[in-house]
Structures are given as C-alpha cells and as structure tokens.
C-alpha cells in the first residue's frame, strides 16, 4: 500500500517526538511516582522481529521473499517505549502502568548499487502492564501497517499490499529463576487488511540475562516463537544472543546482537512468504 508523503512525514514526526520525550529520563522523585514513571515499569522483550526498538543491522538473507534475491540487506529501526502514567503501586514489584510504544522498521536492499528501500513496517501500541513480584502481565492495543518502498515498486513494477492490523494482545511474563524468564500470549486482530486475512497470533519465548550488574558488559540470550493464522500457523523462530554494553547515564541502553530468523517473513508486504536471515547489529532501548 502506498501512503501519501504527508502521512509518512506525520508518522516520522510522531516517532521523533516520542523519542525526544523519552530522552530526559526520570523526573524528580515526587513527580516520578505517577507521571512519566521509571522506564523499568514498561518492560520490553529482547527477541521478536517487530517489537519496538531502535537498531541498525546487516542482514544476510536466503530464500528471500522479495524480487531482489538472496544477499545482504540492511534493516534500520527507530522505536521508543515510554511509560506515561503509574495507575497503581509504586515499583516493579506491584505497579500498574500505562504507556505507549512506537517504531518504524525500514528494510534496504544492498544487492544493487542504489540501496533501495524495500519496505517500511510501522508499529504503534498502548500497553497496560501489571507487575507482580518478579512477574508481569500485559494487555495491549496493537497496530501495525506496512508500506512498499517507492524505489522497489518502480524497479519491479509492482503495487504494494494494503496491509494493516488492529488488535488486542495479552501476554504473561514469568520468572521462575533469577536469570530465566518465560512468556506466552496471544493476539486477536479485530480489523485486518486484506480483509480475508487470519486474525489470530500466538506467541511464546524465553530469555536469559545475568542478574549481576557488575562488569562492563553483560551477556544475554533470547528466543521468540510466533505462529499466525494468516500463515497457516507456520512458526517463525527468532533467536538473539549478544552483550549488553556498558551503562550510559546509569542504565544499560545498548546491546550488540547476533540473530537468526527462520519462517514467514516479518515484512508485512511479504506476509506468509518463508525466509531465513542471519543478522549482526546494535540495538538501543530508548
């Protein structure tokens, strides 16, 4: 689906505004109790190809669903997760928080000299997260849409899909051990385009992180598995390993990652087409 330039600019301006809001960090102790509380109150998952994140990755693609063929591509994303208001409780052991999440994921083909934009996926969500001891539970409004790159469309003389989803998802994250987290959930899309698309997505995963905050770097590993009704429940596996880099402003915000993705492509314009990808890059948590 080809969106107008004004709509694309509006989305970009919205993401930038959210990022600017997120940069100042915590307010004073009194203010932080409710309005714009601590960022830790709005947790994020490490693996998941369309979870909001800011990142830059080189991606080696085989079984490429696009017409560019196998080779090296680049994916750049701008994303932010921002807790807005603490509805109840005070800490990550008892808090109930509402926030916003937004991201744009742009995929560029490096198989040709022009470095063509293949597609851009947009994500916007409003999560409610309830913390309970070491665990948390999330209810979230979720929107995603996808735009085919103009350069790609002209080169191959194709029209983009009218791809969009609006839905509600629930997810539970449990920490049975200090270093191990397990999660699972499902999403139901009440509005889908194309209109004959499937409406259900199920998701499960795990992540391992060191509980010690000593040292310059901290290793982690995460795996995410998603199956969608729209792809006849074919599983998409996303494995990510890497290192949290040294703290910036008292918090760990950057991580170096290596990834493996196999299964249906995460690009909305190529929904349902299988692929295998190996990526190296850097991710930031804003």
């Amino acid at each position: 689906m080809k969106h107008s330039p004004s709509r694309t600019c509006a989305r970009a301006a919205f993401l930038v505004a959210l990022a600017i809001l997120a940069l100042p960090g915590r307010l004073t102790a009194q203010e932080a109790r409710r309005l714009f509380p601590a960022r830790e109150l709005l947790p994020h998952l490490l693996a998941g190809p369309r979870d909001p994140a800011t990142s830059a990755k080189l991606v080696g693609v085989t079984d490429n669903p696009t017409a560019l063929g196998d080779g090296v591509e680049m994916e750049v994303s701008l994303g932010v997760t921002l807790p807005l208001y603490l509805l109840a409780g005070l800490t990550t052991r008892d808090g109930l928080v509402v926030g916003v999440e937004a991201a744009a994921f742009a995929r560029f083909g490096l198989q040709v000299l022009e470095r063509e934009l293949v597609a851009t996926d947009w994500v916007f969500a409003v999560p409610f997260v309830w913390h309970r001891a070491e665990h948390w539970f999330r209810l979230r409004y979720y929107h995603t849409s996808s735009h085919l790159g103009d350069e790609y469309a002209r080169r191959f003389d194709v029209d983009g899909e009218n791809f969009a989803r609006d839905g509600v998802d629930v997810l539970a994250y449990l920490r049975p051990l200090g270093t191990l987290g397990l999660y699972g959930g499902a999403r139901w899309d009440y509005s889908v385009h194309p209109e004959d698309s499937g409406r259900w997505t199920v998701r499960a995963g795990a992540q391992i992180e060191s509980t010690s905050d000593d040292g310059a770097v901290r290793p982690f590993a995460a795996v995410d598995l998603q199956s969608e009704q729209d792809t006849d429940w074919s599983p998409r596996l996303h494995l990510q390993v890497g290192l949290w880099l040294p703290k910036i402003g008292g918090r760990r915000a950057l991580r170096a990652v290596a990834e493996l993705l196999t299964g249906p492509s995460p690009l909305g314009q190529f929904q349902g087409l299988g692929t295998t990808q190996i990526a190296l890059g850097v991710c930031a948590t804003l």
Side-chain angles (χ1 to χ4, degrees):
M1 179 181 181
K2 294 188 177 182
H3 303 295
S4 67
S6 60
R7 186 174 180 183
T8 300
C9 290
R11 283 174 164 171
F14 176 70
L15 289 173
V16 171
L18 286 180
I20 292 172
L21 281 174
L23 287 177
R26 301 185 185 182
L27 303 178
T28 66
Q30 289 296 322
E31 293 169 324
R33 290 173 63 93
R34 297 299 171 194
L35 184 63
F36 299 124
R39 292 175 181 172
E40 292 79 7
L41 284 162
L42 194 60
H44 64 282
L45 300 172
L46 299 178
R50 288 299 176 262
D51 275 31
T54 295
S55 64
K57 302 172 185 175
L58 281 177
V59 185
V61 185
T62 61
D63 299 325
N64 196 341
T66 78
L68 289 171
D70 298 348
V72 178
E73 299 181 348
M74 172 173 282
E75 184 164 288
V76 179
S77 67
L78 172 63
V80 63
T81 59
L82 179 65
L84 292 178
Y85 195 77
L86 186 58
L87 298 167
L90 294 174
T91 70
T92 55
R93 299 188 64 83
D94 64 353
L96 173 62
V97 67
V98 60
V100 292
E101 301 175 330
F105 299 85
R107 177 66 67 91
F108 297 89
L110 304 184
Q111 296 94 329
V112 294
L113 293 177
E114 287 79 2
R115 307 292 189 262
E116 293 178 347
L117 175 63
V118 177
T120 304
D121 292 343
W122 297 86
V123 171
F124 176 76
V126 179
F128 291 81
V129 179
W130 178 45
H131 294 267
R132 190 67 176 174
E134 299 294 329
H135 320 301
W136 53 267
F137 306 89
R138 184 180 73 193
L139 173 66
R140 185 173 67 161
Y141 161 74
Y142 182 88
H143 167 82
T144 185
S145 58
S146 184
H147 165 71
L148 190 68
D150 293 336
E151 299 94 337
Y152 180 91
R154 286 194 297 267
R155 172 181 286 272
F156 297 105
D157 192 23
V158 293
D159 294 324
E161 287 282 346
N162 180 17
F163 178 90
R165 305 281 189 270
D166 287 277
V168 177
D169 74 22
V170 293
L171 186 138
Y173 181 95
L174 307 177
R175 190 177 286 276
L177 300 173
T179 60
L180 174 65
L182 304 173
Y183 62 86
R187 188 180 86 235
W188 178 71
D189 296 323
Y190 57 83
S191 176
V192 295
H193 297 281
E195 295 182 354
D196 59 349
S197 301
R199 295 178 181 267
W200 284 98
T201 300
V202 295
R203 181 180 188 182
Q207 51 192 47
I208 300 174
E209 294 184 272
S210 172
T211 56
S212 173
D213 213 19
D214 299 332
V217 297
R218 190 172 74 181
F220 72 88
V223 60
D224 183 86
L225 187 66
Q226 297 187 44
S227 292
E228 301 173 350
Q229 184 182 18
D230 201 38
T231 60
D232 295 325
W233 304 110
S234 297
R236 179 194 298 121
L237 175 69
H238 186 216
L239 174 65
Q240 186 181 96
V241 296
L243 295 172
W244 281 102
L245 301 181
K247 291 183 178 180
I248 299 174
R251 61 186 291 264
R252 292 189 186 271
L254 293 175
R255 65 185 193 271
V257 303
E259 298 181 347
L260 169 66
L261 184 147
T262 184
S265 172
L267 294 169
Q269 288 295 317
F270 303 94
Q271 177 79 352
L273 301 178
T275 188
T276 299
Q277 305 176 4
I278 297 176
L280 296 173
V282 177
C283 297
T285 304
L286 300 179

